[in-house]
Amino acid sequence: QCLYQFLAFVPPSNGSLSVPGTASVMVDTQHPLTLQLNSSLGDTELCKIHYHFGEFGNYSLVVKTLNTSTKTVSCDLVINEGPINSYLPLLFAVLVYMGVLAVFIAGRLLMKIDPVRNWVYKKLNLRETDRLINTELGSPNTTDSVNCDSTPRVWSTASRQRLHSLDTFRGLSLIIMVFVNYGGGKYWFFKHESWNGLTVADLVFPWFVFIMGTSISLSLSSMMRWGSSKQKVLRKILWRSFVLILLGVIVVNPNYCLGPLSWDNLRIPGVLQRLGFTYLVVAALELLFARAESGTWEASYPALQDILPHWPQWIFILMLEATWLCLTFLLPVPGCPRGYLGPGGIGDFGNYPNCTGGAAGYIDRLLLGEKHMYQHPSSNVIYQTTMPYDPEGILGTINSIVMAFLGVQVPLFFSSCIDYINFSNFLFQGIISAILTKCSKEEGFIPINKNLWSISYVTTTSCFAFILLLLIYYLVDVKKLWSGAPFFYPGMNSILVYIGHEVFANYFPFKWKMQDSQSHAEHLTQNLTATTLWVIISYLLYRRRIFLKI
């Protein structure tokens, strides 16, 4: 539903068939395009072609007049040079990493030989590293996690060991986020969707929020287990939230080479800011309703054992979601239809050019001011929007709180055997997603939209997150078929890796001048190199037992 945009003017041939009028243009290859040829006299439509052009292909649209009296023309698309296979560099990269994986597997098999394993442990002192890490707060006991116990989670005094699956999941999300932020090899599926839809890039931030919710539950359990008072824990929650928000403001406003930063253009929202505020709300909510002992309701209704212990929190979350729905669909926005969820710009046939994000964009512009928001949203790539819009804005933070709270529910599953885990919540979320989206990208009641952080986006990504976390948990902590490497290492130092990759994004060796800026191979090499370097850095920090904690 985009307005046609002027592409080129083809000059007349002046009656000379040997020298036709020509015009050269470049077009987008991510989506199929519709080319419409209009007459310069009367601007009437002559022909229309719908085609999905290939990357770096060379095409000619040959237009011939068939009948001058009726002004009928023929339009034929000719392929002068076929498009390249832009996925070959990606395939090569996969093969390289598969080779590296094969080497590591061979090394793991060697580690099963007692003399080799003893020599490596002696040289690297790995047992001492694991001992120090496992004494940190924030994870349940691996042994407890595989016991078939349907008793709801309570604050216990048992000593517990760290679950590697949580750090592995966090590290996987973080590494994909780093790769995406560095450019993702300039592949469209490693970029955020312009508006509705879902790509790989759109999965990682909600996954990070999800696992943060899981960590909140476990860290609070640990602190309460060690006898910390609620007042002390609340002070720590407030301090962590403040530091995250402060770091976020600093990271999203880099000005290393441009002189002093003007307060007039300071961007207020951001990734770490949203994480900080989400952490504050969810952690405070869990702390407020933390129980020292379990009740009897859960024993009477085992199917609801993951909801009944948290009924006050669920009520609060449902009230928050009702607030999001009311503001999104009922708040009057000047010049825009009520409940508008579109991108504005040339979308929706250009009827609402200044309505980007509907109520979400309006609230941010009203409370934050246009100069304190993100100035280059992904919607301007296709929809040519001119209004600033912040994907980490105020209204979307409500649904990030919901996402983190869904992550809080995961530790309840760690007390049950894999075969008896209650999937009802996440199955229900999947059903909600199907209903809200009508299983389509654009036609649903509430489409999946990362910019808006729509509720369908939350329910969909939380389903994916739970399934992936369950798989990693089974492989890493239950069957111990995988150590979690290499994602485990950045997962142990997530804040340091995230801030570091943002601060040093434009510095060598994470970035360098390329010979061909249009080459997928060069972009992919640079982005994978930078991402791999952060994995290596996190591994070296792990070896030296250096962990940035807030």
Side-chain angles (χ1 to χ4, degrees):
Q1 297 182 338
C2 289
L3 283 177
Y4 282 99
Q5 300 298 297
F6 177 77
L7 187 61
F9 174 75
V10 184
S13 61
N14 294 325
S16 173
L17 296 179
S18 59
V19 186
T22 61
S24 298
V25 295
M26 293 179 65
V27 295
D28 177 61
T29 61
Q30 178 178 343
H31 304 281
L33 299 179
T34 300
L35 300 181
Q36 179 175 300
L37 182 69
N38 289 353
S39 170
S40 57
L41 299 176
D43 201 29
T44 56
E45 179 184 330
L46 298 178
C47 67
K48 183 185 295 184
I49 287 184
H50 187 74
Y51 193 78
H52 195 166
F53 294 94
E55 198 164 358
F56 298 111
N58 187 289
Y59 304 84
S60 290
L61 180 61
V62 181
V63 182
K64 295 180 179 179
T65 301
L66 298 179
N67 191 316
T68 55
S69 60
T70 59
K71 298 182 179 179
T72 56
V73 301
S74 67
C75 295
D76 299 309
L77 193 66
V78 179
I79 301 177
N80 304 321
E81 184 177 348
I84 66 169
N85 188 342
S86 57
Y87 301 111
L88 286 178
L90 199 59
L91 176 61
F92 181 77
V94 169
L95 293 176
V96 170
Y97 279 95
M98 289 291 286
V100 174
L101 177 62
V103 172
F104 275 104
I105 292 176
R108 186 176 177 83
L109 293 175
L110 286 175
M111 286 289 288
K112 291 184 177 181
I113 303 174
D114 288 340
V116 175
R117 183 175 63 253
N118 293 335
W119 181 83
V120 171
Y121 271 69
K122 181 179 179 181
K123 289 293 182 181
L124 300 182
N125 200 19
L126 292 177
R127 290 192 177 94
E128 177 65 13
T129 299
D130 287 341
R131 186 191 68 79
L132 290 173
I133 291 170
N134 288 329
T135 59
E136 294 183 2
L137 306 179
S139 293
N141 193 319
T142 306
T143 304
D144 292 347
S145 66
V146 296
N147 287 336
C148 297
D149 180 16
S150 61
T151 304
R153 174 172 51 88
V154 295
W155 308 129
S156 69
T157 57
S159 175
R160 297 190 171 193
Q161 245 185 356
R162 194 177 187 96
L163 275 175
H164 284 198
S165 56
L166 302 185
D167 295 309
T168 302
F169 182 93
R170 185 188 300 111
L172 174 62
S173 303
L174 179 62
I175 289 306
I176 298 176
M177 183 184 294
V178 170
F179 176 64
V180 164
N181 289 346
Y182 278 155
K186 296 300 179 183
Y187 290 101
W188 66 267
F189 43 83
F190 289 132
K191 297 179 183 178
H192 294 295
E193 271 285 4
S194 290
W195 201 247
N196 293 334
L198 201 63
T199 65
V200 175
D202 297 320
L203 294 173
V204 289
F205 187 24
W207 284 0
F208 206 84
V209 174
F210 183 88
I211 203 65
M212 182 182 70
T214 304
S215 301
I216 286 173
S217 177
L218 299 175
S219 61
L220 288 180
S221 175
S222 294
M223 286 186 280
M224 298 293 286
R225 184 173 68 242
W226 289 100
S228 299
S229 66
K230 285 192 175 184
Q231 291 77 12
K232 181 179 179 181
V233 175
L234 180 60
R235 286 195 297 269
K236 191 165 188 177
I237 291 171
L238 292 171
W239 171 251
R240 282 180 172 177
S241 302
F242 170 75
V243 173
L244 277 173
I245 293 171
L246 179 62
L247 287 173
V249 172
I250 294 172
V251 168
V252 300
N253 292 284
N255 218 52
Y256 313 123
C257 304
L258 302 178
L261 180 67
S262 171
W263 289 99
D264 296 334
N265 299 315
L266 185 78
R267 182 188 173 194
I268 297 175
V271 170
L272 290 179
Q273 295 93 307
R274 175 168 285 189
L275 287 175
F277 188 78
T278 299
Y279 173 82
L280 173 64
V281 174
V282 176
L285 185 66
E286 285 297 296
L287 180 65
L288 178 63
F289 295 104
R291 302 183 310 152
E293 57 183 22
S294 63
T296 59
W297 288 6
E298 299 84 14
S300 303
Y301 303 97
L304 300 176
Q305 63 175 321
D306 53 341
I307 296 179
L308 289 180
H310 295 264
W311 67 265
Q313 295 98 306
W314 275 106
I315 291 176
F316 179 82
I317 292 298
L318 291 175
M319 290 174 61
L320 267 185
E321 189 53 41
T323 303
W324 183 86
L325 291 170
C326 289
L327 289 174
T328 299
F329 291 100
L330 301 180
L331 181 69
V333 179
C336 305
R338 190 165 296 186
Y340 181 71
L341 299 176
I346 65 172
D348 301 297
F349 303 111
N351 293 324
Y352 318 111
N354 298 323
C355 296
T356 303
Y362 175 67
I363 290 174
D364 288 343
R365 292 190 292 270
L366 188 66
L367 299 181
L368 302 177
E370 292 187 6
K371 292 185 178 181
H372 298 292
M373 299 165 56
Y374 190 48
Q375 301 297 312
H376 308 287
S378 59
S379 56
N380 66 14
V381 176
I382 290 180
Y383 299 102
Q384 301 181 22
T385 55
T386 56
M387 301 294 290
Y389 181 83
D390 208 304
E392 280 77 52
I394 297 172
L395 195 56
T397 303
I398 292 178
N399 280 342
S400 70
I401 293 171
V402 175
M403 185 78 183
F405 180 72
L406 294 175
V408 169
Q409 309 308 305
V410 171
L412 293 168
F413 299 134
F414 290 149
S415 63
S416 304
C417 281
I418 291 296
D419 293 339
Y420 299 103
I421 284 180
N422 188 345
F423 290 99
S424 58
N425 273 343
F426 298 93
L427 179 62
F428 183 60
Q429 292 166 37
I431 295 173
I432 290 177
S433 298
I435 294 173
L436 292 178
T437 63
K438 297 182 182 179
C439 297
S440 69
K441 179 180 177 181
E442 304 283 353
E443 304 302 325
F445 302 108
I446 303 179
I448 295 174
N449 190 298
K450 191 264 181 187
N451 284 286
L452 295 172
W453 266 72
S454 62
I455 185 60
S456 58
Y457 174 68
V458 169
T459 54
T460 301
T461 53
S462 65
C463 276
F464 293 160
F466 175 73
I467 294 170
L468 180 60
L469 177 58
L470 180 61
L471 177 62
I472 294 175
Y473 170 67
Y474 183 76
L475 294 175
V476 173
D477 288 315
V478 177
K479 293 299 183 181
K480 300 189 182 300
L481 299 175
W482 178 30
S483 67
F487 306 113
F488 171 77
Y489 306 115
M492 290 290 296
N493 248 322
S494 55
I495 297 297
L496 188 147
V497 172
Y498 180 82
I499 294 176
H501 102 276
E502 288 278 4
V503 172
F504 296 103
N506 294 315
Y507 294 91
F508 184 83
F510 305 101
K511 191 174 184 178
W512 58 83
K513 186 176 180 180
M514 291 181 288
Q515 297 294 324
D516 182 5
S517 61
Q518 297 295 318
S519 168
H520 279 295
E522 287 199 48
H523 278 287
L524 191 63
T525 300
Q526 185 180 93
N527 301 155
L528 286 176
T529 299
T531 305
T532 304
L533 283 174
W534 283 113
V535 175
I536 294 173
I537 290 170
S538 62
Y539 171 73
L540 295 176
L541 293 173
Y542 174 86
R543 281 276 310 277
R544 295 182 177 273
R545 300 189 286 276
I546 300 173
F547 305 101
L548 177 62
K549 301 292 182 182
I550 297 177

